[in-house]
């Protein structure tokens, strides 16, 4: 009833050296309706060429000793399926980031450098429910709550650009073994932004997506689909950057209004 999983990854790079990333998991099924999981993982992000070799200027100097950013993840997961037509899943998670690369850290009078001086922590909860009520209909519901804190080495603040709450719901209808209709409603809550962003907090939004697709027809050779995104033409924004002149400025980017895609697939 219990499985143990162990793994790991070893990397060696002539620029940033070696990194070892283990992972482990314990999965227990006390009965057919209940599954319990405890998971641990680790990973890294290598410094980019821009971060390593950013052209020196009068105020910035290179740092060829940058190390990879590292993350350790912890998860506790419960999957409960009391009925054949329904399953519920709850996931608690915490992510710890170390050696986060912070740009332009002051290292002297009027001089800055990229350094591994940052840390961050993200924790939260995810919940999911799937229902297959019949061979003609199914639905799902997802919800996420998360909090993020970062420290640049000098001060602590909330991680910008992530929504504290978000979720979506979807419905699928199967019509006469010919068509499938999918309707998905996405919800993203308010998002904080970097202090340098003049637009302030980005408001949350709802967005509806619709897809109508056929099963494979004519001896399983032809299928077609039409997808419409942002059905109600909602105006919403995502946090972003502007860098047309080579410098980075925090801003917001408006997202596409109603748009669609029609596709025909032919198996030759």
């Amino acid at each position: 009833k219990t499985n143990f999983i162990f793994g790991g990854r070893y990397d060696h790079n002539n620029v940033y050296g070696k990194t070892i990333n283990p992972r482990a998991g314990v999965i227990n099924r006390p009965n057919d309706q209940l599954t319990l999981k405890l998971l641990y993982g680790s990973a890294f992000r290598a410094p980019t060429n821009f971060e390593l070799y950013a052209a020196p200027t009068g105020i910035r100097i290179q740092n060829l000793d940058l190390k990879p950013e590292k993350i350790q993840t912890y998860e506790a997961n419960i999957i409960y399926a009391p009925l054949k037509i329904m399953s519920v899943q709850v996931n608690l998670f915490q992510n710890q980031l170390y050696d986060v690369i912070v740009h332009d850290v002051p290292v002297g009078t009027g001089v800055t450098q990229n350094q591994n001086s940052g840390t961050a922590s993200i924790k939260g909860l995810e919940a999911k429910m799937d229902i297959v009520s019949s061979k003609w209909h199914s639905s799902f519901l997802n919800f996420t709550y998360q909090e993020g804190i970062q420290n640049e080495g000098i001060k602590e603040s909330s991680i910008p650009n992530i929504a504290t709450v978000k979720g979506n719901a979807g419905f699928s209808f199967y019509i006469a073994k010919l068509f499938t209709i999918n309707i998905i409603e996405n919800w993203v809550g308010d998002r904080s932004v970097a202090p340098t962003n003049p637009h302030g907090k980005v408001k949350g939004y709802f967005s509806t997506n619709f897809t109508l697709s056929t099963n494979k027809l004519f001896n399983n050779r032809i299928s077609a689909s039409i997808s419409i995104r942002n059905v109600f033409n909602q105006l919403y924004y995502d946090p972003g950057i502007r860098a047309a002149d080579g410098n980075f400025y925090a801003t917001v980017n408006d997202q596409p209004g109603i748009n669609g895609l029609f596709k025909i697939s032919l198996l030759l």
Side-chain angles (χ1 to χ4, degrees), residues 122-172:
I122 303 172
K123 58 184 178 181
L125 174 147
E126 298 172 326
K128 177 182 179 181
M129 180 172 64
D130 292 296
I131 299 176
V132 182
S133 56
S134 72
K135 63 180 180 180
W136 310 112
H137 171 262
S138 65
S139 58
F140 68 85
L141 178 67
N142 297 317
F143 173 78
T144 299
Y145 174 86
Q146 60 183 344
E147 295 179 349
I149 299 295
Q150 64 182 7
N151 190 318
E152 298 178 354
I154 299 176
K155 63 179 181 179
E156 187 175 272
S157 61
S158 297
I159 297 178
N161 305 341
I162 64 173
T164 302
V165 292
K166 62 181 179 180
N168 59 14
F171 306 89
S172 296

Side-chain angles (χ1 to χ4, degrees), residues 23 53 87 116 164 242 266-267:
R23 62 186 178 94
Y53 307 115
S87 66
N116 294 99
T164 302
R242 176 170 59 87
L266 172 63
L267 180 63

Side-chain angles (χ1 to χ4, degrees), residues 74-267:
Y74 306 87
E75 296 182 56
N77 181 270
I78 300 174
I79 303 174
Y80 182 52
L83 304 171
K84 290 184 178 180
I85 66 171
M86 182 178 72
S87 66
V88 178
Q89 185 173 169
V90 177
N91 190 56
L92 296 172
F93 65 88
Q94 179 166 337
N95 301 327
Q96 297 290 146
L97 289 87
Y98 305 92
D99 294 330
V100 176
I101 297 172
V102 180
H103 289 200
D104 295 331
V105 177
V107 293
T109 304
V111 179
T112 65
Q113 186 182 56
N114 297 339
Q115 292 191 353
N116 294 99
S117 59
T119 60
S121 175
I122 303 172
K123 58 184 178 181
L125 174 147
E126 298 172 326
K128 177 182 179 181
M129 180 172 64
D130 292 296
I131 299 176
V132 182
S133 56
S134 72
K135 63 180 180 180
W136 310 112
H137 171 262
S138 65
S139 58
F140 68 85
L141 178 67
N142 297 317
F143 173 78
T144 299
Y145 174 86
Q146 60 183 344
E147 295 179 349
I149 299 295
Q150 64 182 7
N151 190 318
E152 298 178 354
I154 299 176
K155 63 179 181 179
E156 187 175 272
S157 61
S158 297
I159 297 178
N161 305 341
I162 64 173
T164 302
V165 292
K166 62 181 179 180
N168 59 14
F171 306 89
S172 296
F173 305 92
Y174 313 98
I175 302 174
K177 296 183 179 181
L178 292 176
F179 301 98
T180 300
I181 296 175
N182 292 296
I183 303 172
I184 297 178
E185 182 73 17
N186 296 316
W187 166 49
V188 176
D190 295 346
R191 286 166 287 177
S192 62
V193 295
T196 55
N197 192 323
H199 297 275
K201 181 176 66 177
V202 177
K203 293 183 178 180
Y205 66 88
F206 289 89
S207 178
T208 306
N209 302 314
F210 170 87
T211 300
L212 171 65
S213 58
T214 69
N215 293 336
K216 291 183 178 180
L217 307 172
F218 303 105
N219 295 322
N220 293 328
R221 298 175 67 87
I222 299 177
S223 62
S225 67
I226 181 170
S227 299
I228 302 176
R229 294 178 288 269
N230 196 0
V231 172
F232 299 107
N233 200 32
Q234 295 293 311
L235 176 63
Y236 66 97
Y237 300 88
D238 275 347
I241 59 172
R242 176 170 59 87
D245 60 357
N247 296 311
F248 292 96
Y249 302 96
T251 185
V252 294
N253 301 317
D254 56 325
Q255 299 303 298
I258 183 172
N259 63 96
L261 174 68
F262 176 68
K263 181 172 72 173
I264 294 179
S265 299
L266 172 63
L267 180 63

